[in-house]
Amino acid sequence: MTTEKDLIEAFTNDRRAAGRCLYERYGGQLMAVCMRYMGGSDEARDVMQDSFVKILSQMARFEYRGEGSLAAWMKRITVNEALSHLRTNHKMRLLEEPHADIPDEEDTQPERVPPNILQQMIGQLPAGYRTVLNLFVFEQIPHKEIARRLGITESTSGSQYLRAKKMLAKQINEYLKVQEKS
């Protein structure tokens, strides 16, 4: 099963084997999405499990639109499950609370930070900051849509993004300073 179309066709014949193939092929990518949103590995595993249950149960409704459409559909389900988990566990309430201003960090070079370290840094951001950053940067959703999805104002979405960016820049610069000393 080399293509998404092959996986989809296999799913109609042998759900169990195709489900296993889906997990083997996309599990790592989807777990990375879960880790970005959840920050912690236990919660990320819970979201991953809930996402795969939903993916497998809704596979018959999936419309194939060319190579890449299955991965995009699975990612969208995973992001929605992560947002649902955050809302259900009241972690999104941080979004509307005022936070102390974080000074601007200049000359940030995220490309010099290994991806796994950058992932950890994002995971350490407050839930609201992390969620808006993920939606805006990785999912490329505009602030107006983020606001609608999260039940906040557009300006709050923009503010949370800017604060997340500043906080992440500070972490990156601190990491690079330590690396330069060693």
Side-chain angles (χ1 to χ4, degrees):
M1 290 185 261
T2 57
T3 68
E4 287 183 346
K5 191 166 186 119
D6 293 340
L7 276 170
I8 295 161
E9 288 173 7
F11 196 84
T12 59
N13 298 327
D14 186 354
R15 289 175 56 102
R16 186 180 212 123
R20 195 170 25 258
C21 285
L22 278 174
Y23 188 83
E24 288 170 3
R25 184 168 178 180
Y26 299 104
Q29 295 169 31
L30 297 178
M31 181 54 113
V33 170
C34 294
M35 291 294 289
R36 270 200 338 256
Y37 281 89
M38 305 316 300
S41 59
D42 289 341
E43 286 185 299
R45 278 191 288 274
D46 291 345
V47 169
M48 177 71 164
Q49 181 177 348
D50 293 345
S51 297
F52 252 89
V53 167
K54 188 165 270 187
I55 287 164
L56 295 175
S57 69
Q58 293 183 3
M59 189 62 114
R61 291 188 232 157
F62 171 71
E63 275 186 50
Y64 181 74
R65 295 181 182 176
E67 198 64 24
S69 62
L70 177 61
W73 178 75
M74 292 172 60
K75 182 180 176 190
R76 196 167 41 256
I77 288 174
T78 303
V79 168
N80 289 337
E81 283 299 307
L83 294 176
S84 175
H85 185 84
L86 287 167
R87 274 192 299 272
T88 300
N89 292 297
H90 307 287
K91 292 186 178 187
M92 293 304 295
R93 71 178 183 268
L94 295 172
L95 286 169
E96 298 290 354
E97 295 176 3
H99 294 278
D101 284 334
I102 300 164
D104 287 335
E105 290 287 327
E106 297 186 25
D107 300 327
T108 304
Q109 299 173 324
E111 66 279 356
R112 292 184 47 207
V113 179
N116 63 320
I117 302 294
L118 193 56
Q119 177 80 28
Q120 289 173 4
M121 290 175 183
I122 292 170
Q124 292 170 358
L125 295 172
Y129 291 6
R130 183 176 62 239
T131 302
V132 171
L133 177 87
N134 281 316
L135 289 170
F136 189 75
V137 173
F138 296 104
E139 312 310 328
Q140 298 180 339
I141 298 173
H143 287 296
K144 186 173 187 173
E145 176 63 15
I146 293 170
R148 188 192 66 72
R149 283 189 181 190
L150 300 180
I152 59 175
T153 65
E154 191 174 343
S155 62
T156 298
S157 177
S159 168
Q160 294 294 301
Y161 169 69
L162 289 176
R163 291 170 189 228
K165 199 168 126 179
K166 287 178 183 181
M167 191 177 261
L168 189 57
K170 183 178 179 189
Q171 289 177 318
I172 290 168
N173 287 339
E174 288 172 1
Y175 172 83
L176 293 174
K177 284 177 191 171
V178 169
Q179 294 304 307
E180 288 170 3
K181 290 180 182 178
S182 41

